[in-house]
Amino acid sequence: MFRKRQIGKTNIQVTELGFGAASLGNLYKAISNEEATLTLSSAIHSGINLFDTAPRYGLGLSERRVGDVLRELAPSEYVISTKVGRILTPDRKANTKELRYGFDTPMPFDAHYDYTYDGIMRSFEDSIQRLGIAEIDILLVHDIGADTHGDKDEFYYNQLSESGYKAVDELRTQGLIKAVGLGVNETEICERVMDIGQFDCFLLAGRYSLLEQDALDTFLPKCENHGASIILGGPYNSGILATGVKGEGEPHYNYQPAQADIIKKVREIEDVCEQFQVPLAAAALQFPLGHSTVATVIPGLGSERRVKKTVELFHHDIPTDFWLRLIEIGLLRQDAPLPKSNAK
């Protein structure tokens, strides 16, 4: 089983290990409905209670699969988060035999950005229908920010600040959702939206990890002051902290081939892992939870085998001396708070 932590100032309690459901939308490759059900059931059986999905994941496929399993449980047994910011519309010309937005999905839809009041309300209602669940616990504004929108960043930010935030705040006030947040890959937009209103959490992919601790400078302290928790996605930094760099294949970092300096640093971390007999992936999973603002870590889980392996890694006993050695040789910042043991 897993310890639980609170999301922001809400009453939501989530397990320290959560479930990222992008793979259930057939991310890069298809999995069967049976495998998706087995994967979710394995996670539930292990004690995981947080399940994060989104309309983008398989153009609705992930939400359908997650909802099909969770609706068999009492609402008190799980925490569901999904996202707004995209509207799915029917696409009769969709080629469902090829990857679309990185997903091998049979769903004949296309996605369009919309962060307005009406767009967010429609997206929320559509997700309720796809999930087949009457309540959503955490609603995250998805992929807002310059990383995604480039020169249209200001346009979409204004949609959110001028009308979209009102929608999520209304849903929270009315009790239709329990928490409001962002689901993004950059800290800058999280700091920026704190000026719009109250956010309970930020699902942040990869920006606080064994490889990156710059968030300690301003972002994590601002989250503490704001009362926002971190749901930490992408703990493996796009895979390099899961596979390491000593095997075959090209390591990836930040969704692209890793640069030489990143490969060098990971190799040095792997050397310490070998000295202490600590799996690199276990260290990557457990490290972010040393910070009190991080409520949960949610790797992507796309198979029953992956769930079981991830739970094993999460509970691997890592000695304090391992973390201290990383600090001593400059591979971790000296001010990085260290995690407690997750050993059973």
Side-chain angles (χ1 to χ4, degrees):
M1 301 300 286
F2 303 94
R3 295 185 294 253
K4 292 182 179 179
R5 298 190 183 189
Q6 182 178 337
I7 293 292
K9 298 176 182 178
T10 74
N11 294 322
I12 300 174
Q13 297 282 330
V14 296
T15 48
E16 290 181 333
L17 180 64
F19 188 109
S23 294
L24 300 192
N26 291 356
L27 180 62
Y28 304 129
K29 64 179 183 179
I31 65 171
S32 68
N33 289 330
E34 291 75 16
E35 181 67 13
T37 298
L38 284 172
T39 303
L40 287 161
S41 298
S42 178
I44 292 165
H45 182 73
S46 76
I48 290 171
N49 83 334
L50 173 63
F51 298 86
D52 175 72
T53 182
R56 179 178 184 270
Y57 302 159
L59 296 167
L61 181 62
S62 175
E63 285 187 315
R64 290 173 64 100
R65 286 171 161 174
V66 170
D68 284 346
V69 173
L70 293 189
R71 87 171 65 93
E72 300 298 321
L73 306 176
S76 61
E77 295 183 60
Y78 63 85
V79 175
I80 178 76
S81 70
T82 192
K83 305 182 182 75
V84 291
R86 287 179 175 87
I87 300 293
L88 302 188
T89 55
D91 181 3
R92 291 186 295 170
K93 297 181 179 179
N95 185 349
T96 58
K97 303 302 182 184
E98 65 180 16
L99 289 183
R100 288 170 295 141
Y101 306 107
F103 293 90
D104 183 2
T105 176
M107 304 290 278
F109 297 97
D110 200 1
H112 308 276
Y113 294 113
D114 192 334
Y115 300 94
T116 64
Y117 178 95
D118 290 343
I120 284 177
M121 286 300 194
R122 175 177 169 183
S123 180
F124 169 74
E125 291 164 1
D126 287 353
S127 286
I128 288 283
Q129 295 290 332
R130 282 189 294 268
L131 288 163
I133 292 174
E135 299 178 47
I136 291 172
D137 299 293
I138 303 172
L139 196 63
L140 305 169
V141 179
H142 202 188
D143 287 340
I144 193 78
D147 270 10
T148 299
H149 297 300
D151 58 8
K152 295 205 73 174
D153 170 47
E154 198 68 21
F155 172 77
Y156 287 120
Y157 181 81
N158 287 340
Q159 284 190 347
L160 179 64
S161 62
E162 293 172 7
S163 73
Y165 177 77
K166 181 182 177 184
V168 292
D169 192 38
E170 276 186 17
L171 291 169
R172 177 174 54 189
T173 300
Q174 293 169 5
L176 298 175
I177 60 175
K178 299 184 181 77
V180 170
L182 299 188
V184 293
N185 299 323
E186 56 176 303
T187 60
E188 292 82 2
I189 187 62
C190 299
E191 294 189 27
R192 191 178 179 192
V193 299
M194 291 182 197
D195 294 330
I196 298 176
Q198 181 60 45
F199 287 81
D200 303 298
C201 56
F202 298 110
L203 196 170
L204 187 66
R207 298 286 76 84
Y208 183 63
S209 70
L210 273 181
L211 281 176
E212 295 185 43
Q213 294 103 52
D214 288 350
L216 289 167
D217 293 329
T218 64
F219 176 61
L220 292 177
K222 285 184 178 180
C223 287
E224 281 189 302
N225 291 334
H226 188 75
S229 294
I230 301 300
I231 299 171
L232 203 290
Y236 302 130
N237 280 126
S238 301
I240 195 167
L241 291 177
T243 64
V245 297
K246 295 186 177 183
E248 297 181 359
E250 185 175 40
H252 279 71
Y253 166 75
N254 245 13
Y255 309 106
Q256 57 189 359
Q259 297 174 322
D261 59 330
I262 295 295
I263 292 174
K264 177 177 182 294
K265 185 172 183 178
V266 173
R267 182 176 289 111
E268 292 171 349
I269 294 173
E270 280 191 276
D271 289 341
V272 179
C273 286
E274 290 170 2
Q275 292 170 25
F276 285 86
Q277 296 184 311
V278 171
L280 175 63
L285 271 180
Q286 295 184 36
F287 167 73
L289 288 161
H291 201 284
S292 60
T293 302
V294 177
T296 181
V297 175
I298 58 163
L301 299 173
S303 69
E304 183 182 19
R305 179 189 61 81
R306 175 52 56 192
V307 170
K308 292 178 177 178
K309 182 61 177 178
T310 301
V311 170
E312 177 186 316
L313 291 167
F314 188 84
H315 288 304
H316 187 92
D317 190 18
I318 300 179
T320 301
D321 286 348
F322 167 78
W323 305 113
L324 294 177
R325 178 59 178 161
L326 291 178
I327 291 173
E328 180 185 5
I329 60 179
L331 295 173
L332 272 185
R333 282 178 47 154
Q334 292 191 354
D335 57 345
L338 303 182
K340 298 177 182 177
S341 173
N342 288 328
K344 289 183 178 179

